Amino acid sequence: MNIKEVGKSILYFLVLAAILIGLRHFVFTPVVVKGDSMDPTLIDGERVIALKNTKVKRFDIVTFPAPDDPGKNYIKRVIGLPGDTVEYKNDELYINGNKYEEAYLDEFKGKLTDDQPLTYDFNLSELFGSEKVPEGELFVLGDNRRISKDSRIIGMIKEKDIMADVKFVFWPINRFGTVD
């Protein structure tokens, strides 16, 4: 092997490393799920890929810095967008007065045996004294509503604080695939 071939190989690996580092820094980030607040959608210990710089939509699962625990991040589902009213009545979600189905909760609700709702009744006025999600903020909930520390407890999340949008499970291998 001559010096020219070695130089090309080194340059190839440096360019490849730079591309991978750039993608990791600007496009996606791996995230480890910690805790049970997103059960059964995301399970404690799963590893997921989250896309950065995406337009967050209703029902997306996002990660953001924990406002009540510096150094930690939370993963929750976006329920309310700026200007929305959000209310739960009889374990059913109403946004801007319209009922929304949450099919991702059906399996979990079916396993409850205590005749209690998964999500207890609330509205934004009761929680925050305001009827609507403020501009620049989001209302988020964990899928395991009974134990989740979410907007009902920690308050609204600033849109600018959203780090990434969870899209893909890559570990464990039996859960490999996109996040619904």
Side-chain angles (χ1 to χ4, degrees):
M1 200 183 235
N2 65 32
I3 291 182
K4 193 173 186 181
E5 289 178 27
V6 171
K8 281 183 178 179
S9 293
I10 291 172
L11 181 60
Y12 170 78
F13 285 113
L14 288 174
V15 168
L16 183 60
I19 290 170
L20 291 175
I21 290 169
L23 286 171
R24 164 65 173 86
H25 187 72
F26 296 108
V27 179
F28 71 88
T29 186
V31 177
V32 177
V33 176
K34 293 186 177 163
D36 299 316
S37 71
M38 285 301 294
D39 281 353
T41 307
L42 298 174
I43 299 168
D44 185 39
E46 278 186 332
R47 277 136 175 92
V48 298
I49 295 290
L51 299 179
K52 297 180 173 187
N53 303 312
T54 62
K55 174 98 172 99
V56 175
K57 300 179 299 295
R58 184 180 329 281
F59 303 123
D60 280 356
I61 298 173
V62 297
T63 180
F64 54 92
D68 61 337
D69 197 350
K72 280 191 167 183
N73 296 324
Y74 287 155
I75 297 176
K76 305 291 177 198
R77 189 179 297 274
V78 174
I79 300 296
L81 301 171
D84 284 347
T85 62
V86 178
E87 180 175 23
Y88 255 91
K89 292 189 287 190
N90 301 318
D91 211 14
E92 294 178 339
L93 171 64
Y94 292 85
I95 300 172
N96 300 323
N98 298 313
K99 182 178 169 185
Y100 279 76
E101 296 297 324
E102 293 179 285
Y104 51 87
L105 297 178
D106 289 346
E107 176 188 348
F108 200 46
K109 285 181 177 181
K111 292 179 181 176
L112 298 176
T113 59
D114 60 3
D115 293 325
Q116 295 296 311
L118 178 61
T119 310
Y120 293 99
D121 291 357
F122 72 85
N123 63 49
L124 296 183
S125 292
E126 293 167 353
L127 296 174
F128 306 109
S130 173
E131 289 185 18
K132 295 185 178 201
V133 176
E135 282 303 312
E137 297 185 7
L138 302 168
F139 183 84
V140 299
L141 293 173
D143 287 357
N144 190 350
R145 305 284 165 78
R146 290 183 176 180
I147 67 161
S148 180
K149 189 188 288 187
D150 49 38
S151 285
R152 296 170 294 175
I153 297 167
I154 60 174
M156 303 284 181
I157 304 304
K158 296 190 181 318
E159 285 182 292
K160 68 179 181 60
D161 290 340
I162 299 298
M163 296 166 33
D165 190 354
V166 175
K167 295 294 185 187
F168 195 79
V169 175
F170 68 91
W171 191 262
I173 202 75
N174 67 328
R175 302 254 307 159
F176 186 86
T178 57
V179 175
D180 296 328

